[in-house]
């Protein structure tokens, strides 16, 4: 009997070893994929249209701060759009080029690119495009703390919009101009600009913008009262009574 048990134990032990080694045998015999199609790893395939492909490359360059390469690809895209006489795309691509130069701290090149965009927007009778590109120049100078230069460009943008019906660009320019006047401690003018932005957002049913401007105006009014500033416009003391609906 003891000898029989020993044989049984030996058989079970060897069976256990076989089962233990079986998975490794299966894995070893599986085929190994050496080459991988890298296209499957990148879900964003390059566009087939050559102009769109250059814009795609420029965006990648932009992301990796390869500014010269990005500018080169933007210009290649612009050349194609010009051949196609697709002037709206020429204008918007020049705006993107201006944005790139702002990030590259090349303000002179940025201003030239934005002004070129203005030229093509004017050619296309795109008033909002003109005003936006001019606002972009003003925003750039505001970030550079060149406040007087920034103010002049905001006013140029508003001059372009003076005949236009109510629109978001008008509100954005006044909001940014109000921030600029706030920096310059020109409180009365800041409040007047914020009022224009608030009323524009209200008319457009842009609730978030309207509420933000209301909060800014109240903050400025409290600051004016605490410093005995009596130059607060009467229209600010009587808040806008026709706010946009809660769910536009």
């Amino acid at each position: 009997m003891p000898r029989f048990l020993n044989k049984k134990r030996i058989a079970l032990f060897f069976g256990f070893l076989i089962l233990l080694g079986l998975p490794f045998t299966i894995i070893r015999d599986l085929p190994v994929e050496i080459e991988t199609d890298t296209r499957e790893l990148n879900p964003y395939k390059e566009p087939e249209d050559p102009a769109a492909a250059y814009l795609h490359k420029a965006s990648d360059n932009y992301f990796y701060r390869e500014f010269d390469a990005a500018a080169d690809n933007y210009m290649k895209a612009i050349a194609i759009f010009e051949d196609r006489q697709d002037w709206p795309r020429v204008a918007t691509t020049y705006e993107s080029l201006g944005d790139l130069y702002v990030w590259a701290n090349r303000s002179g090149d940025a201003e030239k690119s934005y002004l070129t965009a203005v030229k093509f927007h004017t050619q296309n009778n795109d008033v909002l495009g003109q005003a936006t590109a001019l606002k972009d120049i003003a925003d750039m100078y505001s970030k550079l703390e060149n406040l007087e230069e920034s103010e002049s460009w905001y006013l140029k943008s508003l001059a372009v919009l003076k005949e236009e019906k109510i629109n978001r660009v008008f509100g954005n320019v006044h909001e940014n101009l109000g921030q600029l006047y706030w920096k310059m401690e020109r409180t009365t003018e800041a409040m007047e600009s914020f009022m224009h932005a608030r009323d524009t957002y209200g008319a457009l049913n842009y609730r978030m913008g309207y509420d933000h401007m209301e909060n800014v105006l109240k903050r400025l009014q409290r600051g004016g009262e605490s410093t005995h500033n009596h130059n607060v416009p009467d229209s600010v003391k009587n808040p806008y009574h026709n706010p946009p609906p809660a769910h536009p």
Side-chain angles (χ1 to χ4, degrees), residues 12-13 15 63 86 94 115 120 134 140 170-171 189 201 232-233:
L12 288 172
F13 176 74
F63 180 79
D86 187 349
Y94 269 114
L115 286 176
F120 283 104
L134 292 168
M140 176 185 70
F170 183 82
E189 291 165 287
Y201 294 151
V232 178

Side-chain angles (χ1 to χ4, degrees), residues 38-48 53 56-57 60:
T38 56
R39 290 175 298 176
E40 296 178 359
L41 301 177
N42 182 10
Y44 303 104
K45 295 182 180 180
E46 187 173 290
E48 294 182 4
H56 180 82
K57 291 176 182 177
D60 285 344

Side-chain angles (χ1 to χ4, degrees), residues 234-246:
D234 290 338
S235 52
V236 177
K237 296 176 182 177
N238 298 295
Y240 186 62
H241 292 295
N242 186 26

